[in-house]
Amino acid sequence: DSAGCTLCACNPPPTCSPACENGGTCTGDNTCTCPPDFTGSQCQNSASVSCPGGCQNGGTCTPTGCVCPPLFSGVNCEDRRECPVEGARAENECGHSCVCRNGRLVDCCRVRKEIHDMTQAERQTFIDTYKASYGDITALIESHKNNFFNGIHNPGEFLPWHRWCILAIENILLQRNCRAVMPYWDWTLHSSDPWNAPLWSDASHYYGGDGGGSCVTTGPFRNGQFTPVSGTCL
């Protein structure tokens, strides 16, 4: 106007990719705040029909209600059970393997499972957490790209470097969801036909295909549902 104008710097709104579903609100980069009746990193899971109030302490919502970890019970897994027999191993609320001592679970360690031995809910938890945490692990992905020709694929460095990298990624995932332990693939189970192993299927709890030389078009990492560091597609 005639009095001039004032320019102000505005913070850009957060972005969520994939977008929040079922009325969820994007409240931070790749962070959806869900309505009470929905859960999941994109509010994609309905909780109202079978799990009113949601499942607590790492419980999993199923069509018949909450399935609770070994040390919890109740409609919403809200009740903690006493520690089992002294010296026995038991899972904590994160699904980690612990030892019972003096009524407490101690010396806990994460348990990596072969991906086909995981439940569908466990695989979905890992996939959802990985996608939601992707912005936090891009520095590690860039490090792999930048060091690809700098020795990390040499015989003496390949295994230790990649073991470190996988552990570093896993630690980031566990900060967001303590049950999102990194799976592994025992490819010998499918050595006769590895490209038709179930993990390459189109299901949301598996990885999808390879795109046939172009952008991936199936699974949770397909083009339009996941954007890699390159900014294009897998």
Side-chain angles (χ1 to χ4, degrees):
D1 57 26
S2 59
C5 62
T6 301
L7 298 178
C8 61
C10 299
N11 293 324
T15 58
C16 293
S17 178
C20 305
E21 301 177 13
N22 297 306
T25 302
C26 185
T27 54
D29 286 343
N30 293 318
T31 301
C32 295
T33 298
C34 304
D37 289 346
F38 293 92
T39 62
S41 58
Q42 285 86 49
C43 309
Q44 72 276 24
N45 301 321
S46 175
S48 61
V49 176
S50 54
C51 306
C55 301
Q56 303 175 25
N57 298 305
T60 301
C61 185
T62 71
T64 57
C66 292
V67 175
C68 303
L71 292 180
F72 293 91
S73 61
V75 174
N76 303 107
C77 307
E78 70 278 12
D79 298 324
R80 185 179 180 88
R81 301 173 182 170
E82 293 183 0
C83 192
V85 180
E86 178 75 10
R89 298 204 72 89
E91 290 185 353
N92 64 8
E93 64 273 17
C94 296
H96 301 173
S97 179
C98 310
V99 177
C100 182
R101 290 185 185 149
N102 300 319
R104 297 180 57 201
L105 291 176
V106 298
D107 298 335
C108 300
C109 59
R110 63 193 74 172
V111 180
R112 291 177 178 169
K113 298 181 180 180
E114 205 282 329
I115 190 168
H116 300 97
D117 288 338
M118 299 167 74
T119 65
Q120 178 176 328
E122 288 173 333
R123 287 192 296 268
Q124 192 69 63
T125 293
F126 171 74
I127 294 292
D128 289 346
T129 306
Y130 181 91
K131 293 174 71 174
S133 305
Y134 186 71
D136 299 324
I137 64 177
T138 52
L140 291 166
I141 298 172
E142 284 291 309
S143 177
H144 181 272
K145 182 180 72 173
N146 295 335
N147 288 288
F148 190 88
F149 296 107
N150 292 331
I152 65 171
H153 277 230
N154 291 341
E157 298 182 32
F158 183 86
L159 289 179
W161 194 94
H162 287 80
R163 284 171 177 165
W164 165 81
C165 187
I166 289 173
L167 179 62
I169 292 174
E170 184 179 64
N171 287 338
I172 292 173
L173 301 186
L174 295 180
Q175 291 177 13
R176 184 177 291 265
N177 187 325
C178 68
R179 302 185 73 87
V181 177
M182 186 83 70
Y184 68 94
W185 177 32
D186 182 359
W187 61 268
T188 64
L189 300 175
H190 311 96
S191 58
S192 62
D193 193 13
W195 297 115
N196 283 317
L199 82 161
W200 307 122
S201 77
D202 189 27
S204 64
H205 52 92
Y206 277 126
Y207 290 157
D210 65 355
S214 184
C215 291
V216 171
T217 59
T218 58
F221 299 100
R222 65 187 181 275
N223 189 25
Q225 291 294 312
F226 181 77
T227 303
V229 174
S230 65
T232 55
C233 65
L234 290 179

